[in-house]
Amino acid sequence: MEGAVAAGLWGFVGGSALLIGAAIAYLVHLPQRLIAAIMAVGSGVLISAVAFDLMDDAYARGGFDATALGFFGGALVYTAANILVSRAGAKHRKRSGSNPAQSQADADEGSGLSIAIGALLDGIPESVVIGVSLLQGAGVSLVTVAAVFLSNVPEGLSSAAGMKKAGRSAIYIFGVWGAIAMASGLAAALGYAVMAGASPDIIAATTAVAAGAILAMLVDTMIPEATEEAHEYSGLIAVAGFLLAFILSKLEG
């Protein structure tokens, strides 16, 4: 029970970045390049987490077959679900909305809700991984938590900006994002509780599913935005994020 509570709290920490992003969008205006730079750092950190934390752990637990099937399956499921929410108006949910020509220019009521649903879609595999990382008994993966946090800030900012343009109240905006942050904590707690007695192959497949979904999300949403706005510096910023996460993962080990 204590482990599930700890997993839930760490999942909420990662999800709370959505609230921070929403607060930034509601109170101040940030340069879109700064947001893109944050996204580039988050992309590098997430890629490192996928490569050195999630896939390594999955392979060590379940071998190549469970890891490969889970990895491709996670990407496939995420892509199918992402197509649905994107067509409903959440295609640019990772964008800041500061440029009216993109992202949330239309910002109607439906698109704001679709973006929130898309954020939940992005956050579930990330939160489950946070919970599963505690099963090893060595504490939560700080690399994963940091990566999730960094990727969630611009997403909360994006949707809150769109909802604000659509005339939604602060109570509505922060209520939506507070609920999603709580859902992230719940997903992490459930990930821990459900996987606590599972076989190594199932844990490996679950971890790999999340890794595949996260990598598909990166290529589809975060990296294009970072590259479009940060231009020639996005690769360097992402490398810095990757290196930081790599160092942290080795220090944790």
Side-chain angles (χ1 to χ4, degrees):
M1 184 64 182
E2 290 183 3
V5 172
L9 289 174
W10 280 112
F12 180 76
V13 168
S16 67
L18 294 166
L19 284 168
I20 294 174
I24 293 172
Y26 197 82
L27 299 174
V28 300
H29 173 80
L30 292 180
Q32 197 167 2
R33 279 202 170 193
L34 176 59
I35 299 166
I38 296 172
M39 201 169 293
V41 172
S43 297
V45 174
L46 273 175
I47 291 172
S48 180
V50 167
F52 295 106
D53 280 3
L54 305 184
M55 292 299 284
D56 266 358
D57 180 64
Y59 180 76
R61 288 177 181 269
F64 180 78
D65 52 349
T67 301
L69 288 173
F71 188 63
F72 187 77
L76 184 62
V77 171
Y78 173 86
T79 300
N82 184 56
I83 289 172
L84 294 177
V85 298
S86 294
R87 290 178 177 175
K91 183 177 181 180
H92 300 298
R93 61 186 176 274
K94 291 284 189 182
R95 295 190 171 184
S96 68
S98 59
N99 185 342
Q102 59 177 240
S103 162
Q104 306 315 316
D106 301 288
D108 57 18
E109 176 180 341
S111 68
L113 287 174
S114 296
I115 294 163
I117 294 171
L120 189 60
L121 169 67
D122 296 338
I124 287 175
E126 298 170 343
S127 299
V128 169
V129 163
I130 290 175
V132 172
S133 72
L134 285 164
L135 292 175
Q136 299 179 12
V140 73
S141 170
L142 294 178
V143 173
T144 303
V145 174
V148 170
F149 190 93
L150 283 173
S151 71
N152 279 339
V153 170
E155 187 159 10
L157 193 156
S158 170
S159 185
M163 290 177 179
K164 186 178 180 181
K165 289 177 183 177
R168 285 297 189 176
S169 67
I171 294 176
Y172 178 88
I173 293 172
F174 290 104
V176 167
W177 288 111
I180 294 176
M182 293 295 293
S184 297
L186 180 61
L190 287 174
Y192 180 93
V194 171
M195 293 293 115
S199 68
D201 280 348
I202 293 178
I203 294 176
T206 301
T207 303
V209 164
I214 290 171
L215 186 56
M217 179 272 293
L218 277 170
V219 176
D220 185 74
T221 59
M222 291 182 67
I223 291 176
E225 166 69 358
T227 302
E228 181 177 338
E229 297 303 327
H231 300 299
E232 62 269 18
Y233 297 104
S234 60
L236 181 62
I237 297 170
V239 167
F242 182 97
L243 180 60
L244 176 64
F246 175 75
I247 293 171
L248 183 56
S249 69
K250 296 306 177 184
L251 290 176
E252 278 188 313

